[in-house]
Amino acid sequence: FPYTTLFRSDATDRIAYGRLRGGHVYNFWQDAANPKGVWRRTTIAGYLSPAPPWELLLDVDALARAEGENWVYKGADCSPDEQRCLISLSRGGGDAVVTREFDLGARRFADGGFALAEAKSSSTWLDDRTVLFATAADGATRSGYGRIVKMWTRGTPVSAARTIYEGAVEDVLAAPETFHTRDGNLAVIARAVSFFETEYFVLAADGAPWKLPVPRSLQLQGLLDGRLIFTLREDWQVPGGATLPRGALAAL
């Protein structure tokens, strides 16, 4: 049976997709020489050039060898000042991760920094000194994910982190997400009631969650010019307004 190879995971001519944070474009790259991958960054101008000058931040293959662990990179979330990041690593590629704070300037993990033990968890920076997280170690849903979102301030033990939202055991998960803009930082808590239904809560200045008056079928995509951007899985009759069709892009 004839076939054509359309994609090779170690091809060197793949597009190096990036994530924009502050003045840099971050990329995680795997190839034949780096099967576990390298996490790197370049400037925006550098990314637009034919041969971007990548700055190596973390070599996961080297880390795995040094620590004797089968580490798999699971993502990074960086502080608004672009000085520190929370790196998630999985042993063997499972859903449970170890989260460790990484010093971008020193290009190494920070001594005494924010850290979460191995569990199904999610974490994000609220500001340069505060982290929001949810870990199954504090209380899990029936799906095995975290359901309690906490606020953790630098210089305090994780046991002192304050609970700001608690979902139900029957939920899929509760997880925090933040959007860092020139106008400030916006924190959102997602309560996944099912795989296709989510409630969203905006964190107010006093740390209290405020539920967005939108259907559970909406899916949050991002923040643009002070508006939350959603896609619609179902038609939505906006109270006092028009009916938005399934598949539409909506701004709130």
Side-chain angles (χ1 to χ4, degrees):
F1 182 79
Y3 66 91
T4 301
T5 300
L6 298 178
F7 173 77
R8 284 179 56 89
S9 61
D10 60 353
T12 58
D13 59 349
R14 304 193 321 274
I15 296 174
Y17 289 104
R19 182 174 180 182
L20 184 64
R21 293 187 178 99
H24 291 90
V25 177
Y26 291 77
N27 166 259
F28 182 70
W29 181 262
Q30 293 170 283
D31 55 26
N34 304 277
K36 287 187 175 295
V38 294
W39 186 51
R40 57 191 188 173
R41 71 179 180 181
T42 187
T43 62
I44 296 174
Y47 186 71
L48 295 173
S49 68
W54 293 107
E55 173 191 359
L56 176 64
L57 298 173
L58 178 64
D59 183 330
V60 182
D61 293 272
L63 178 69
R65 289 192 298 270
E67 299 187 349
E69 295 278 6
N70 183 21
W71 288 131
V72 174
Y73 175 82
K74 286 287 188 173
D77 186 272
C78 297
S79 59
D81 64 3
E82 220 177 345
Q83 298 296 314
R84 301 290 183 98
C85 296
L86 297 173
I87 305 290
S88 294
L89 300 165
S90 165
R91 288 185 171 93
D95 288 342
V97 297
V98 173
T99 302
R100 297 157 67 178
E101 184 177 349
F102 188 84
D103 186 325
L104 284 172
R107 301 182 196 175
R108 62 177 179 83
F109 288 105
D111 296 330
F114 290 111
L116 294 173
E118 185 175 22
K120 292 181 179 179
S121 63
S122 58
S123 56
T124 185
W125 296 85
L126 176 62
D127 55 43
D128 298 326
R129 295 185 51 80
T130 313
V131 164
L132 301 177
F133 70 92
T135 172
D138 287 337
T141 64
R142 288 180 180 172
S143 298
Y145 295 90
R147 63 181 181 84
I148 300 174
V149 180
K150 294 185 174 183
M151 182 184 296
W152 186 9
T153 302
R154 184 178 296 286
T156 64
V158 66
S159 58
R162 178 167 63 95
T163 297
I164 57 174
Y165 179 80
E166 185 168 345
V169 173
E170 295 77 16
D171 294 341
V172 176
L173 58 79
E177 183 175 6
T178 52
F179 302 95
H180 305 301
T181 72
R182 291 186 296 268
D183 300 323
N185 306 325
L186 178 70
V188 176
I189 296 170
R191 176 202 175 197
V193 180
S194 71
F195 286 102
F196 301 103
E197 295 178 300
T198 305
E199 293 179 348
Y200 295 100
F201 299 81
V202 170
L203 204 63
D206 61 359
W210 177 74
K211 184 179 177 182
L212 292 177
V214 297
R216 290 178 172 180
S217 58
L218 268 66
Q219 186 173 14
L220 179 62
Q221 300 293 344
L223 179 71
L224 179 64
D225 291 337
R227 292 174 178 265
L228 289 168
I229 307 299
F230 294 88
T231 50
L232 277 63
R233 292 193 180 102
E234 298 177 355
D235 294 350
W236 178 27
Q237 172 61 59
V238 180
T243 297
L244 303 181
R246 180 181 65 181
L249 193 66
L252 174 65

